[in-house]
Amino acid sequence: MQEEKKWYNRIELNIATLLMFIMLVMLTVQVVGRYFFKVSWGEIDELARYGLIWLAYLSAIWATFKDIQIKVDILLKVWPQKIRKGIKWLSLIIFFVYCVVVGYYSATWVIDVAKVGTSSIALGVPMVYFQCIIPIAHFLMAIRLIQVGLRYRKHPELLEEKSEEEEFAEFMSVAKGGADE
């Protein structure tokens, strides 16, 4: 699909890849320092923990756009074939509402944290910088769900049932980076 080739459709993946590389370098420095030079930095551990949280949320945004997030498909197969498309649309709407509600309440929480001015223990950085990913990610997932809905509307064949073999082949192509073709 042509829309997937636009730069903004890979931004989360690119940021997550960069973040993963930075975390790899930081943790390698930490391990080498600890085992060869008997030096350890608590700041690296803390930064890696927060980086992992950011990485998870950025990956969730990308998975939402690709429509490969974790789902309970067995429940879909319980329904008659005629209404499965409607069930998929309903699940998309429920997920969208969830993202907007969690995004809103987490944004108010982050604003409250910013007002209090709490800081991380080792780095001394305001916690708002680490916690702001929660509302950002949920609002971006809501936007990505709108894109998925528009994709479904433009290509209704995407709502069709796939065999387990087709789903596995699609998953493997995404895992190998071939989903953007």
Side-chain angles (χ1 to χ4, degrees):
M1 278 177 256
Q2 190 61 27
E3 74 176 42
E4 292 184 14
K5 295 198 184 252
K6 297 191 174 157
W7 68 270
Y8 53 80
N9 287 334
R10 293 185 52 88
I11 195 162
E12 302 94 352
L13 183 62
N14 292 336
I15 293 171
T17 303
L18 178 64
L19 184 59
M20 191 173 208
F21 177 75
I22 291 169
M23 287 173 52
L24 176 70
V25 170
M26 286 186 332
L27 292 173
T28 301
V29 167
Q30 176 76 329
V31 168
V32 168
R34 183 177 292 156
Y35 290 106
F36 293 111
F37 302 109
K38 307 293 186 227
V39 176
S40 181
W41 298 278
E43 295 87 355
I44 290 178
D45 288 338
E46 187 175 71
L47 197 56
R49 256 182 265 125
Y50 293 130
L52 184 62
I53 293 168
W54 270 73
L55 183 65
Y57 276 109
L58 290 169
S59 300
I61 300 165
W62 182 76
T64 300
F65 174 66
K66 292 293 186 178
D67 199 26
I68 56 171
Q69 68 275 18
I70 297 173
K71 302 175 204 168
V72 184
D73 287 336
I74 192 73
L75 293 177
L76 185 65
K77 296 181 189 306
V78 170
W79 297 96
Q81 188 71 31
K82 290 186 272 186
I83 64 170
R84 288 183 187 173
K85 287 182 184 179
I87 299 291
K88 284 185 179 182
W89 275 106
L90 179 64
S91 71
L92 191 73
I93 291 167
I94 290 170
F95 190 19
F96 175 80
V97 170
Y98 163 81
C99 287
V100 170
V101 169
V102 171
Y104 171 77
Y105 284 108
S106 63
T108 59
W109 172 68
V110 168
I111 290 168
D112 289 342
V113 168
K115 287 177 185 174
V116 172
T118 57
S119 297
S120 67
I121 294 172
L123 295 169
V125 175
M127 290 299 292
V128 70
Y129 294 127
F130 303 119
Q131 296 167 340
C132 69
I133 188 62
I134 300 168
I136 291 170
H138 282 87
F139 287 131
L140 287 176
M141 280 191 277
I143 292 168
R144 293 303 196 182
L145 287 168
I146 292 170
Q147 287 181 298
V148 170
L150 292 173
R151 191 180 323 138
Y152 281 170
R153 190 165 188 129
K154 188 175 181 181
H155 303 281
E157 67 274 6
L158 294 174
L159 290 167
E160 299 294 327
E161 287 290 313
K162 297 177 188 166
S163 69
E164 288 184 24
E165 293 82 18
E166 289 173 321
E167 286 182 4
F168 182 73
E170 181 181 334
F171 172 77
M172 291 307 292
S173 79
V174 169
K176 291 179 182 175
D180 294 329
E181 297 174 4

